[in-house]
PDB file of all heavy atoms in Angstrom:
ATOM      1  N   SER A 455     -31.941  59.437 147.767  1.00 47.00           N
ATOM      2  CA  SER A 455     -31.431  59.760 149.098  1.00 47.00           C
ATOM      3  C   SER A 455     -30.403  58.737 149.567  1.00 47.00           C
ATOM      4  O   SER A 455     -29.504  59.060 150.330  1.00 47.00           O
ATOM      5  CB  SER A 455     -32.589  59.825 150.101  1.00 47.00           C
ATOM      6  OG  SER A 455     -33.280  58.582 150.156  1.00 47.00           O
ATOM      7  N   GLU A 456     -30.555  57.501 149.104  1.00 48.00           N
ATOM      8  CA  GLU A 456     -29.626  56.441 149.476  1.00 48.00           C
ATOM      9  C   GLU A 456     -29.204  55.714 148.203  1.00 48.00           C
ATOM     10  O   GLU A 456     -29.762  54.681 147.846  1.00 48.00           O
ATOM     11  CB  GLU A 456     -30.285  55.459 150.454  1.00 48.00           C
ATOM     12  CG  GLU A 456     -30.691  56.111 151.769  1.00 48.00           C
ATOM     13  CD  GLU A 456     -31.453  55.134 152.661  1.00 48.00           C
ATOM     14  OE1 GLU A 456     -32.622  54.848 152.361  1.00 48.00           O
ATOM     15  OE2 GLU A 456     -30.861  54.653 153.637  1.00 48.00           O
ATOM     16  N   PRO A 457     -28.234  56.249 147.485  1.00 45.00           N
ATOM     17  CA  PRO A 457     -27.872  55.722 146.169  1.00 45.00           C
ATOM     18  C   PRO A 457     -27.362  54.281 146.188  1.00 45.00           C
ATOM     19  O   PRO A 457     -27.301  53.643 145.152  1.00 45.00           O
ATOM     20  CB  PRO A 457     -26.782  56.688 145.692  1.00 45.00           C
ATOM     21  CG  PRO A 457     -26.269  57.323 146.937  1.00 45.00           C
ATOM     22  CD  PRO A 457     -27.422  57.410 147.865  1.00 45.00           C
ATOM     23  N   HIS A 458     -26.992  53.769 147.374  1.00 42.00           N
ATOM     24  CA  HIS A 458     -26.523  52.386 147.436  1.00 42.00           C
ATOM     25  C   HIS A 458     -27.678  51.386 147.396  1.00 42.00           C
ATOM     26  O   HIS A 458     -27.463  50.190 147.243  1.00 42.00           O
ATOM     27  CB  HIS A 458     -25.707  52.161 148.712  1.00 42.00           C
ATOM     28  CG  HIS A 458     -26.509  52.266 149.969  1.00 42.00           C
ATOM     29  ND1 HIS A 458     -26.938  53.475 150.442  1.00 42.00           N
ATOM     30  CD2 HIS A 458     -26.969  51.318 150.826  1.00 42.00           C
ATOM     31  CE1 HIS A 458     -27.623  53.277 151.565  1.00 42.00           C
ATOM     32  NE2 HIS A 458     -27.668  51.987 151.816  1.00 42.00           N
ATOM     33  N   LYS A 459     -28.920  51.890 147.529  1.00 47.00           N
ATOM     34  CA  LYS A 459     -30.079  50.997 147.560  1.00 47.00           C
ATOM     35  C   LYS A 459     -30.723  50.899 146.180  1.00 47.00           C
ATOM     36  O   LYS A 459     -31.031  51.899 145.547  1.00 47.00           O
ATOM     37  CB  LYS A 459     -31.099  51.473 148.597  1.00 47.00           C
ATOM     38  CG  LYS A 459     -30.618  51.277 150.024  1.00 47.00           C
ATOM     39  CD  LYS A 459     -31.730  51.529 151.019  1.00 47.00           C
ATOM     40  CE  LYS A 459     -31.251  51.235 152.447  1.00 47.00           C
ATOM     41  NZ  LYS A 459     -32.324  51.456 153.441  1.00 47.00           N
ATOM     42  N   PHE A 460     -30.951  49.687 145.758  1.00 56.00           N
ATOM     43  CA  PHE A 460     -31.508  49.374 144.457  1.00 56.00           C
ATOM     44  C   PHE A 460     -32.965  48.997 144.671  1.00 56.00           C
ATOM     45  O   PHE A 460     -33.269  47.943 145.211  1.00 56.00           O
ATOM     46  CB  PHE A 460     -30.715  48.204 143.883  1.00 56.00           C
ATOM     47  CG  PHE A 460     -31.081  47.800 142.493  1.00 56.00           C
ATOM     48  CD1 PHE A 460     -31.136  48.732 141.480  1.00 56.00           C
ATOM     49  CD2 PHE A 460     -31.343  46.471 142.206  1.00 56.00           C
ATOM     50  CE1 PHE A 460     -31.445  48.340 140.194  1.00 56.00           C
ATOM     51  CE2 PHE A 460     -31.649  46.074 140.927  1.00 56.00           C
ATOM     52  CZ  PHE A 460     -31.696  47.008 139.910  1.00 56.00           C
ATOM     53  N   LYS A 461     -33.907  49.865 144.287  1.00 72.00           N
ATOM     54  CA  LYS A 461     -35.298  49.682 144.652  1.00 72.00           C
ATOM     55  C   LYS A 461     -36.045  48.783 143.665  1.00 72.00           C
ATOM     56  O   LYS A 461     -35.660  48.634 142.512  1.00 72.00           O
ATOM     57  CB  LYS A 461     -36.005  51.038 144.738  1.00 72.00           C
ATOM     58  CG  LYS A 461     -35.422  51.987 145.772  1.00 72.00           C
ATOM     59  CD  LYS A 461     -36.374  53.129 146.051  1.00 72.00           C
ATOM     60  CE  LYS A 461     -36.680  53.919 144.804  1.00 72.00           C
ATOM     61  NZ  LYS A 461     -37.573  55.070 145.085  1.00 72.00           N
ATOM     62  N   TYR A 462     -37.138  48.217 144.164  1.00 81.00           N
ATOM     63  CA  TYR A 462     -38.070  47.519 143.283  1.00 81.00           C
ATOM     64  C   TYR A 462     -38.889  48.568 142.523  1.00 81.00           C
ATOM     65  O   TYR A 462     -39.356  49.536 143.099  1.00 81.00           O
ATOM     66  CB  TYR A 462     -39.046  46.657 144.092  1.00 81.00           C
ATOM     67  CG  TYR A 462     -38.440  45.534 144.871  1.00 81.00           C
ATOM     68  CD1 TYR A 462     -38.052  45.717 146.194  1.00 81.00           C
ATOM     69  CD2 TYR A 462     -38.287  44.272 144.312  1.00 81.00           C
ATOM     70  CE1 TYR A 462     -37.517  44.684 146.938  1.00 81.00           C
ATOM     71  CE2 TYR A 462     -37.763  43.223 145.045  1.00 81.00           C
ATOM     72  CZ  TYR A 462     -37.371  43.431 146.361  1.00 81.00           C
ATOM     73  OH  TYR A 462     -36.852  42.405 147.087  1.00 81.00           O
ATOM     74  N   ASN A 463     -39.076  48.359 141.255  1.00 84.00           N
ATOM     75  CA  ASN A 463     -39.912  49.249 140.464  1.00 84.00           C
ATOM     76  C   ASN A 463     -41.337  48.681 140.480  1.00 84.00           C
ATOM     77  O   ASN A 463     -41.776  48.008 139.554  1.00 84.00           O
ATOM     78  CB  ASN A 463     -39.379  49.335 139.032  1.00 84.00           C
ATOM     79  CG  ASN A 463     -40.027  50.459 138.249  1.00 84.00           C
ATOM     80  OD1 ASN A 463     -41.028  51.020 138.663  1.00 84.00           O
ATOM     81  ND2 ASN A 463     -39.431  50.788 137.110  1.00 84.00           N
TER      82      ASN A 463
END
Side-chain angles (χ1 to χ4, degrees):
S455 59
E456 298 175 286
H458 66 286
K459 290 190 176 181
F460 184 51
K461 299 195 301 182
Y462 296 92
N463 192 347

